[in-house]
Each structure stands twice: as structure tokens, then as C-alpha cells.
Amino acid sequence: MSETTPDETTTPQQPRPHAAAKPVRWAADAVATLREGARLHLDYSARSLWRVDRMIDDIRREGAPPAAMDQVLRGLGAYAGEVIVRETGGEWWSGDGDHWVRTPDGRLWNPIEESHRCFAGHGSLRLLCKDAGGS
């Protein structure tokens, strides 16, 4: 990390950690796919997670096979993680192929796993965000 001198200014847009690269892309892909395919506009707000939870529940009720949903759930979980990052000032962490969000209070959250729990009928991305400190 480089030091700044008093006359240098920093931009509000700091570079994202390397751990964010994949989940940020997965989230953006999910947003684009839903906008084009389902005409669902996701705006990275905590409120939008209510629609995501409902959509996952609807897909589960339609009987979609869990294996066919892996990429979709990964994208929706990453989207929820990005909402948490933006709402709380957290950051993405990764290790052993897994991705978590670390909130400023030091807690780790696994929104991708939570999206799979939602699909199984036992989770909520909206409540995960609320618990992580979002609105």
C-alpha cells in the first residue's frame, strides 16, 4: 500500500480487493440476465433482496433440479453479498474456492451458501443482509 502526501487527494472509488473479482462478476451477470430474461431490475439495494428471495422460492416451487440451479444461486448469492458490501462497507474475502463477506465488525457472512439455503426453503438473503447490518 502506498502512502499519500498531504497534497495528494484520494478518490472515493478505491480499488476492490482481489477476492471481490469473481463474486462481483457473478453478481453483475445475474443482474444482467434477470434484466434481460425476466425483466427484473435489481438495483443493489437491501430492498431488492425481497424480490430475489421470492424469485428463488418461486423457482423451487416449480421443481427446478438443484444441480441445474448452482450457477443461478451462485450469482444471486454474490448479488446479495454485493448488497451487503455496499450497505455495510464490508469486503469480499476468499479461500479454498469459497467467498464470504466480512463486515466492518469482523463477522463473516456466506451469502452464496445462503442462496442455496433459500432454494432448500431454509434461508433468506434479505434477512442475511439485515443481520449483517444492512437495512
Side-chain angles (χ1 to χ4, degrees):
M1 187 182 261
S2 64
E3 293 183 18
T4 58
T5 59
D7 43 280
E8 289 181 68
T9 59
T10 57
T11 61
Q13 189 74 292
Q14 298 295 326
R16 299 291 299 266
H18 177 70
K22 286 183 180 179
V24 168
R25 186 179 69 236
W26 297 333
D29 289 348
V31 168
T33 298
L34 291 172
R35 182 177 48 241
E36 293 170 15
R39 303 241 187 264
L40 179 63
H41 178 71
L42 298 176
D43 60 3
Y44 292 95
S45 69
R47 186 183 347 233
S48 71
L49 293 175
W50 180 86
R51 286 177 279 181
V52 174
D53 277 347
R54 195 168 104 187
M55 184 183 65
I56 292 172
D57 190 47
D58 289 347
I59 293 169
R60 180 179 48 80
R61 284 192 207 151
E62 290 171 4
M69 292 297 298
D70 279 343
Q71 281 190 307
V72 172
L73 294 172
R74 181 184 70 186
L76 295 174
Y79 172 77
E82 264 302 286
V83 171
I84 294 169
V85 165
R86 293 175 185 202
E87 291 280 326
T88 68
E91 63 183 347
W92 282 102
W93 282 42
S94 66
D96 295 329
D98 291 325
H99 293 82
W100 310 277
V101 171
R102 182 176 184 265
T103 49
D105 60 11
R107 293 184 295 170
L108 290 173
W109 305 89
N110 192 334
I112 296 172
E113 181 181 301
E114 188 69 11
S115 69
H116 287 274
R117 289 177 44 78
C118 288
F119 187 71
H122 307 295
S124 168
L125 295 171
R126 180 182 59 81
L127 292 178
L128 181 76
C129 181
K130 184 176 180 182
D131 289 346
S135 50

